[in-house]
Amino acid sequence: MNYNEKSLELHRQKRGKLEVVSTVPLDSREDLSVAYTPGVAAACLAIAKDPQCAQELTIKGHMVAVVTDGSAVLGLGNIGALAGLPVMEGKAILFKKFAGIDAFPICLNTQNVDEIVETVKRIAPGFGGINLEDIAAPACFEVERRLIEELDIPVMHDDQHGTAVVVLAGLLNALKVVEKKMEDVFVVISGAGAGGMGIAHLLFEAGLKHVVMLDSKGIIASGREGMNIYKEELAARINPEGRTGTLADALQGADVFIGVSQPNLVTRQMVQTMAAKAIIFALANPIPEIMPEEALAGGALVVATGRSDFPNQVNNVLAFPGIFKGVLEGGLKKITPKMRVAAAHALAQMVTHPTPEKIMPSPFDEGVAETVAQAVKAAM
Amino acid sequence: MNYNEKSLELHRQKRGKLEVVSTVPLDSREDLSVAYTPGVAAACLAIAKDPQCAQELTIKGHMVAVVTDGSAVLGLGNIGALAGLPVMEGKAILFKKFAGIDAFPICLNTQNVDEIVETVKRIAPGFGGINLEDIAAPACFEVERRLIEELDIPVMHDDQHGTAVVVLAGLLNALKVVEKKMEDVFVVISGAGAGGMGIAHLLFEAGLKHVVMLDSKGIIASGREGMNIYKEELAARINPEGRTGTLADALQGADVFIGVSQPNLVTRQMVQTMAAKAIIFALANPIPEIMPEEALAGGALVVATGRSDFPNQVNNVLAFPGIFKGVLEGGLKKITPKMRVAAAHALAQMVTHPTPEKIMPSPFDEGVAETVAQAVKAAM
């Protein structure tokens, strides 16, 4: 595919991908007097008297900041905030396209947790929500936790939670296809960065009981050396028996593999050791942990990837626009795990008859963001 | 006038005044693959390799941050950044309307100089320029100076410099009308905040030799008690003789009065003591230092105000869109006094036959921003 060349050409031709346009007329002195001085003073004074008025008199009620420090951009690593700007612009226009929410990219010239938190808090007045993006683990966990605590607007790190919502939606439908139950299945998650952590926590919230998680050193277990506090906490919760071992060990008898890790980690032979009717989410991008044809040849029944050129694309554009639409419309201050589980169920239910090749709605289906938004509001 | 009611109604109906829209198609999976992942990685990698590429591949080359701390919003005082948002939104859409430049409001939850500087530096990567707005004196002077020094993109505090450019443009034409020369006239400036300071410095740059400046305590003179360092510096430069006294004292024999201060400070009788064919810029808004009919009755020949309902409106929308257009298009890193003087001359020359009631172009005249931008680029 020549997406890269086409994309470079498009970016160059358009000089980025978004513009800021007026929604009010500015064609006469009268227009200026109403939209700007002296008339605008009335809006300012109304907000000075009651800050809540900003929700209806300004962009605040429908504007999300897409914030990055550029430390983990796509799969490209720590390329810095400026180099991440094309992704943030893309994210911003997806908000508008899929949910009618305005969003603006903010690229931070710092990768220090305290400074990121401080800076986002200082620019927060003009925004209704904060979408954290492409911030590396483990810094992303503390940044998100502190911003959620310290701001009175919704904050979500999409790499953790957007992906998790879509994975859960897909898993709910995949389990219908293979006729297994969430509380019975054994799930192996490969990758303990932002995505893996978000998925593990959300699946637990959704009723999953049996799971192991692996990082590059093997199964995460309490007391293993060199683990950060987030892995320690999770290990105590999901792996109380203290299982250890490699990915090949973990996959024996497993019902589900979820990879948010590295290309080509899983072989056909490893899939053959999994339980019957195995489910594979091989989400490393652009090269998955195992190619779909190999996974199917190894006996898997449902295979999802992050790619648009295979069936069952796990695409977080299914989740984040609707989630923010829901909290902004509902005037909700936090995005809770309960809301995310509700969003996943709503997404799953958009596929009326799940099949091995159709466990996900398409982002272009009618009403995806609206459906998610309604579920989020109902779950508050 | 009921601009206030109309304005409140407009803000409520539109929920603010701007939106962020895509400039690229997003109607198919193919579109997403080009605008977003996986194609977008090519733009990211190009910028990671050569940050200069961001100018042509992202919004950076045409995006200005309109930054406020809300400490001096319009004439409303320190109402805070959130209450200033309607003004910043207005400013942003004026950039787009009059110069085709994109701009986005950033409202800061701090009024500390160090924190403002630090925060703007941290969010700067995604912007091509910084328009500081409605930050109170004297903090605004240090904030601007430090950001100009420490950032590699153009920074301008519009309350100082935008107004000054338009005042200089008007004064150039007013002097033609009264047939006096810049180097001969005696100018009295009332108001030593951001606007007054910007005007004094720019007029000096443009060749003015005789000027006194007053704050609420009278003429600014070296050694007067309670002056900040900015007033001290200016006093040493513009008032080496150490003149003292009141506004009435200062106006005796003066050729030009420029007020950026308080309503009704100047009387008809005071104008009568000025030199023949006096020029009055009474820019306090919405109530000027003296109403035009009173100034004319006192013998003034040319009167300008900040209002759209009198002739000769001093409106900084004549200046800032074109100035930023010039530096962004020219890839210029600083906005220099020389550029601002050039911008003022270009604006003045747009009025081919200045008269007492027509010393300013209209913002709606064809090519205002383009003319200013060309002058700025030529002056670098």
Side-chain angles (χ1 to χ4, degrees), chain B residues 23 55 114 155 159 208 312 330 345 349:
Chain B
T23 56
Q55 293 293 330
D114 291 333
V155 177
D159 303 274
L208 182 68
N312 300 327
H345 278 280
Q349 284 158 17

Side-chain angles (χ1 to χ4, degrees), chain A residues 296-318:
Chain A
L296 294 168
L301 186 55
V302 183
V303 183
T305 71
R307 286 169 56 151
S308 59
D309 51 350
F310 294 121
N312 300 326
Q313 185 188 15
V314 172
N315 186 342
N316 52 9
V317 77
L318 287 165

Side-chain angles (χ1 to χ4, degrees), chain A residues 6-7 15 17 19-21 23 27 29-30 34-35 59 62 89 96-97 102 109 119 122 313, chain B residues 6-7 15 17 19-20 23 27 29-30 34-35 59 62 89 96-97 102 109 119 122 313:
Chain A
K6 279 190 193 170
S7 188
R15 303 183 70 207
K17 292 173 292 202
E19 61 181 338
V20 180
V21 301
T23 56
D27 298 318
R29 281 184 188 273
E30 168 85 12
V34 174
I59 55 173
H62 52 94
E89 291 184 28
K96 188 70 167 183
K97 166 71 183 176
D102 294 287
N109 192 20
T119 306
R122 287 188 194 146
Q313 185 188 15
Chain B
K6 279 190 193 170
S7 187
R15 303 185 69 209
K17 292 174 293 203
E19 61 180 337
V20 179
T23 56
D27 298 318
R29 282 185 187 272
E30 169 85 12
V34 175
I59 54 174
H62 50 94
E89 291 184 28
K96 187 71 168 181
K97 167 71 183 175
D102 294 286
N109 192 20
T119 307
R122 287 188 194 144
Q313 185 189 15

Side-chain angles (χ1 to χ4, degrees), chain B residues 148-232:
Chain B
I148 288 172
E149 279 171 19
E150 297 173 30
L151 283 176
D152 64 350
I153 55 175
V155 177
M156 183 173 94
H157 182 212
D158 190 53
D159 303 274
Q160 291 178 62
H161 305 301
T163 310
V165 166
V166 182
V167 166
L168 174 55
L171 183 58
L172 288 166
N173 280 342
L175 289 173
K176 287 179 209 158
V177 171
V178 303
E179 298 177 309
K180 298 183 185 179
K181 289 190 175 149
M182 184 70 84
E183 56 269 33
D184 299 332
V185 293
F186 179 59
V187 175
V188 174
I189 299 174
S190 169
M197 287 292 194
I199 291 166
H201 282 287
L202 194 67
L203 296 188
F204 239 71
E205 186 74 24
L208 182 68
K209 306 230 179 302
H210 314 292
V211 57
V212 295
M213 186 164 191
L214 300 97
D215 60 15
S216 57
K217 293 174 190 140
I219 292 174
I220 290 175
S222 270
R224 209 193 69 188
E225 275 186 21
M227 297 208 307
N228 62 44
I229 56 162
Y230 304 98
K231 291 182 186 177
E232 278 292 353

Side-chain angles (χ1 to χ4, degrees), chain B residues 272-342:
Chain B
Q272 285 166 345
T273 72
M274 292 177 72
K277 299 189 286 183
I279 297 167
I280 304 281
F281 284 71
L283 307 181
N285 222 349
I287 303 169
E289 284 82 354
I290 181 170
M291 293 301 277
E293 58 270 28
E294 278 297 292
L296 294 168
L301 188 54
V302 183
V303 183
T305 69
R307 287 168 56 152
S308 58
D309 51 350
F310 294 120
N312 300 327
Q313 185 189 15
V314 172
N315 186 343
N316 51 8
V317 78
L318 287 165
F320 68 81
I323 291 174
F324 274 96
K325 182 179 166 73
V327 288
L328 288 175
E329 286 180 357
L332 309 175
K333 307 286 189 205
K334 309 275 180 201
I335 298 168
T336 65
K338 198 177 154 199
M339 291 178 193
R340 291 192 286 267
V341 171

